[in-house]
Amino acid sequence: MTITYNGADITGITQVNQCLYRESSGGKCDSLDIEFDNAQGWIRWKPTTDDVISAEHMGCKTGKMYVRNFVTEDGKMRMIATSLPSHSQNEVYRSYKDKTTEEIMRACAMETGFDYALYGIDGGSMWKYAESRKEGCVAFLNRIARMEGAVLKCVGGRYAMIGLKWAQERTAQQTIEIWPDTPGCVHKLIGKKLKELTVSTANGNNRAEDTSVNDGENKVVTDVPARDDIQAGRIARGLLMHENRDYEVLEIESVMNAGFASMCRIDITGSEDTAGEWIVDEAEHDFVNGTSRAWLKRCIHHVR
């Protein structure tokens, strides 16, 4: 394991008792929960909020993480760090008129001093009016991403908006065989899939349909900034993809697996219930014990 703190390699002068790295999507920051021996030594180093820490082990890299909290107890120092610094949570009211998705991303990135990137979505999609409702840039951009049929990842001081359709069509990074008696695997069905989702506002009305669903309800959404029927259709498709991908979750626990990276494609073979194409939604890597856990969501290909 390699630990870097404010640019210095401290691996040889620290003892790590715990190191949990959690990767997330959907507007949640990645996080690092790490515990060191020798709290007094750390107190002399005077750690402060937004110090930069990173860890690497068995091919798994956290990237830049910014210290949010630290506490000393029983001679140990515990730190919690996230992939965005503390000021990213500043909550303000702001509005955007006649801006594209990329222009909104750029404005939020400039406001917080971060970088940004778009993968597999049309950054030129126009928003005639979009409003941040006293929320941080992360929460606001995550709402935009969901309406675009995308997810927001926060990695190393950067906003990344990743299109679900694009991510689903990528080549699988690995194939895993799973059977009902495979240890460490849990398959869950949560609620029920929607058949249709309708966006209905004063200025735009349209609907999306999941053609793979035979018996499902129709959800009507009114609190979105759809200013014409075309935009209402785009938002409806994006939201329906998110609604139906939340229906099925596969949890896998294994030895350390750096391939369990958020938004990576994985193919599952074996049991009929779980076989198919999946995407890693969240993952947790235990650097000390050498284990990984991933939460996968099934790919959704039939939203029209």
Side-chain angles (χ1 to χ4, degrees), residues 141-150 235 238-239 242-243 246:
L141 288 175
N142 186 54
R143 283 200 296 113
I144 295 291
R146 288 181 64 87
M147 291 186 285
E148 287 281 14
I235 292 173
L239 294 180
H242 276 283
E243 289 279 352
D246 289 343

Side-chain angles (χ1 to χ4, degrees), residues 288-303:
V288 172
N289 294 310
T291 60
S292 294
R293 181 179 298 177
W295 291 263
L296 285 64
K297 294 185 177 181
R298 193 183 288 277
C299 294
I300 302 293
H301 291 298
H302 301 93
V303 171

Side-chain angles (χ1 to χ4, degrees), residues 2 25 33 56 61 68 160 194 211 224 228 249 253 261 288 300:
T2 303
S25 63
D33 184 346
E56 180 178 347
K61 303 177 182 179
R68 286 292 188 92
L194 295 175
T211 59
V224 293
D228 56 43
V249 177
E253 188 172 357
V288 172
I300 302 293

Side-chain angles (χ1 to χ4, degrees), residues 178-204:
I178 291 177
W179 297 97
D181 58 351
T182 300
C185 297
V186 180
H187 181 221
K188 297 178 182 178
L189 301 179
I190 303 169
K192 191 175 182 180
K193 281 187 177 181
L194 295 175
K195 174 64 176 176
E196 295 181 355
L197 187 143
T198 299
V199 167
S200 180
T201 70
N203 300 300

